[in-house]
Amino acid sequence: MLVAATAAAAALHGLAVQQAPAAPAAVAAPRVAARRAPRPVALFGPGGSRPQQQLPDDQRGRPPPSQWAAADGAASSAAATLSASEWLELASLQGRPDLADGARVPGEALEGLTRATWYLEGHSLVVQRAVQLAAAAHAGQARKNGEPFIVHPVETSTILAGLKMDLDTIVAGLLHDTVEDTDLTLHDIARCFGPSVASIVEGDTKRSKLGVTAAALDEATKRSLNHRAMLVAMGEDWRIVVVKLADRL
């Protein structure tokens, strides 16, 4: 019996061992992706040939100066390419040094335009010659407050420069009243500064003439005509509308 009891105990022990739950498998520690070191900021342009230009905070994100001037606009016009003597002859400024050097433009207004057009530094000669031609065209004219008329187009272009408009628009702002109020013609403007500038000035002149024509109409009709003219001008060249708005400020 002792042998039988021992065998039974051994059998029960083996059964208990078989039924005992297996020890839980070791849980693998979560894998942590290695953090990559930040990529160094490129200090050189493509090919590592030269450092990139570091722009001031107020100039970052803006296109380079070459993108502020159309290839077929004032940047490649006679005003940009002629010598000083050739320019004076073309603009009929010979023998009038007081107008040729822009001396008739009040210094404060001229300084404001110079500061505002910093982004057109590569085309400063064109802006200077536009000021010369505008001053010559408006010579002897004055506004109701007594200041020289040239102050108004210079201030108009200063506003346009504050909006960072392109070179053609800045020149058109300087000349926007010449066709309407002086002997200068659209042909003269196109010959000096190219057809793009002449087109903007022509559009602005049409808007001004519409305002004179509509002066006797009632307010509702004038608003309707102005809205229609604005849409037409935007379809032709949206810069015409910007010049007109700057003219009214």
Side-chain angles (χ1 to χ4, degrees):
M1 292 188 59
L2 180 59
V3 174
T6 301
L12 289 174
H13 176 72
L15 180 62
V17 171
Q18 293 176 0
Q19 293 180 352
V27 178
R31 297 181 62 184
V32 178
R35 182 173 299 176
R36 295 182 178 180
R39 296 179 63 183
V41 177
L43 298 179
F44 295 87
S49 57
R50 61 186 178 86
Q52 293 179 341
Q53 183 182 10
Q54 298 297 321
L55 295 176
D57 291 338
D58 63 343
Q59 299 181 32
R60 290 177 182 170
R62 294 175 182 167
S66 60
Q67 295 190 24
W68 298 105
D72 59 347
S76 58
S77 65
T81 57
L82 294 182
S83 66
S85 59
E86 291 172 334
W87 165 251
L88 293 179
E89 182 178 358
L90 176 66
S92 301
L93 297 175
Q94 312 98 311
R96 305 176 68 182
D98 57 332
L99 297 178
D101 60 10
R104 292 290 182 90
V105 182
E108 184 177 351
L110 196 56
E111 289 174 6
L113 178 63
T114 302
R115 287 194 302 268
T117 54
W118 60 266
Y119 63 99
L120 295 174
E121 183 178 2
H123 307 288
S124 58
L125 178 63
V126 177
V127 176
Q128 176 187 345
R129 288 179 170 179
V131 171
Q132 292 173 353
L133 187 59
H138 290 294
Q141 296 180 352
R143 296 181 64 81
K144 291 181 179 180
N145 59 7
E147 69 180 9
F149 190 91
I150 186 60
V151 172
H152 168 66
V154 169
E155 290 180 343
T156 298
S157 285
T158 302
I159 293 172
L160 293 170
L163 298 174
K164 299 300 176 290
M165 297 301 293
D166 66 348
L167 178 64
D168 289 357
T169 309
I170 301 301
V171 174
L174 287 165
L175 301 171
H176 75 275
D177 278 329
T178 54
V179 174
E180 184 178 5
D181 297 334
T182 75
D183 294 332
L184 206 66
T185 67
L186 289 172
H187 175 71
D188 296 330
I189 295 175
R191 187 176 54 166
C192 292
F193 296 99
S196 176
V197 173
S199 177
I200 298 173
V201 173
E202 181 182 20
D204 181 83
T205 302
K206 288 180 179 178
R207 291 274 297 123
S208 299
K209 289 181 178 179
L210 176 63
V212 174
T213 304
L217 302 176
D218 59 272
E219 290 300 322
T221 304
K222 282 194 291 186
R223 281 197 300 270
S224 177
L225 287 175
N226 282 331
H227 292 164
R228 185 182 305 173
M230 192 78 71
L231 291 174
V232 171
M234 289 181 68
E236 295 175 354
D237 189 334
W238 64 274
R239 295 175 296 181
I240 296 172
V241 178
V242 181
V243 172
K244 178 52 65 179
L245 293 175
D247 178 27
R248 297 292 179 86
L249 294 179

